[in-house]
Amino acid sequence: MHLRTPIKVDLSPVYNFLGARTTQAWVDAAIENLPMIIQDHANCEKKAAGTAMNLIFRYEFSYDLQRKLAQLIREEMLHYEQVLGIMNERGQEWKYLSAGRYAKGMLKHKRTYEPAAMVDVLIIGAFIEARSCERFAALAEVINDERLAKYYRYLLKSESRHFEDYLALAQSLSDENIDERVAFFKEVEAELISSPDAELRFHSGTPA
């Protein structure tokens, strides 16, 4: 896999959107457990594509939504294929990994009626994408593997855009301003990232 030279990306919108920054304890633990972090990253790309595919089938009424989700699916599956390639290059075998608490911790607050449920799913997707971007940047700064660091920097351009795409889609489906729901999930996400977590995952909290 040949990557173009990563362009410098302004991540201040990502940092301003998130309610907390990744702790140094998580970065240190991730560096010590890179194979697991790499595979969980692959899982995240696959899950993101699967979520977008499910939404395409459930919400066929919106052209803009369908078009943007189709683009996201292509990008997420490309990233999944790329991470699989990195695992193969490193001689890393696929192992079972249980899901962490992160996504479930946000989804349990999703409203149960439409279109509010869809709006919440898209807002949650925005936070997942923003957190992914923030963590790629954090790892790229310190990782002692230039090949992997370059790949994480390469991902920043698309990942930094995804969270804004999700927010725009959420607002397009709501007659009301979504700022209040965004602020609510900002607190929920920050708590999940900052609080002690028994499992280390790509989106896990501070290692317990």
Side-chain angles (χ1 to χ4, degrees), residues 138-201:
L139 290 171
E141 287 294 319
V142 298
I143 203 167
N144 189 25
D145 183 324
E146 183 52 35
R147 171 76 174 82
L148 199 55
K150 182 178 180 181
Y151 180 59
Y152 288 159
R153 290 193 296 270
Y154 159 81
L155 289 175
L156 294 181
K157 181 179 179 181
S158 61
E159 297 294 334
S160 64
R161 184 187 73 249
H162 284 175
F163 92 91
E164 294 175 329
D165 290 340
Y166 272 107
L167 288 180
L169 288 172
Q171 186 59 75
S172 72
L173 296 177
S174 177
D175 293 332
E176 301 176 352
N177 189 288
I178 65 171
D179 288 351
E180 186 175 335
R181 289 302 287 174
V182 172
F184 170 76
F185 280 111
K186 184 173 185 174
E187 292 186 5
V188 171
E189 198 272 349
E191 171 64 21
L192 287 166
I193 285 299
S194 303
S195 59
D197 199 335
E199 292 183 304
L200 178 66
R201 295 290 184 269

Side-chain angles (χ1 to χ4, degrees), residues 42-56:
N43 279 335
C44 291
E45 300 289 1
K46 181 167 56 176
K47 290 174 183 176
T51 297
M53 182 64 76
N54 287 335
L55 294 176
I56 270 187

Side-chain angles (χ1 to χ4, degrees), residues 113-127:
Y113 54 94
E114 298 294 358
M118 177 62 172
V119 170
D120 283 354
V121 167
L122 291 168
I123 292 172
I124 290 168
F127 279 102

Side-chain angles (χ1 to χ4, degrees), residues 9-34:
V9 178
D10 178 14
L11 296 182
S12 56
V14 172
Y15 297 145
N16 291 334
F17 177 64
L18 295 170
R21 294 286 290 270
T22 290
T23 63
Q24 187 61 45
W26 183 90
V27 174
D28 293 343
I31 294 298
E32 291 296 317
N33 295 272
L34 265 182

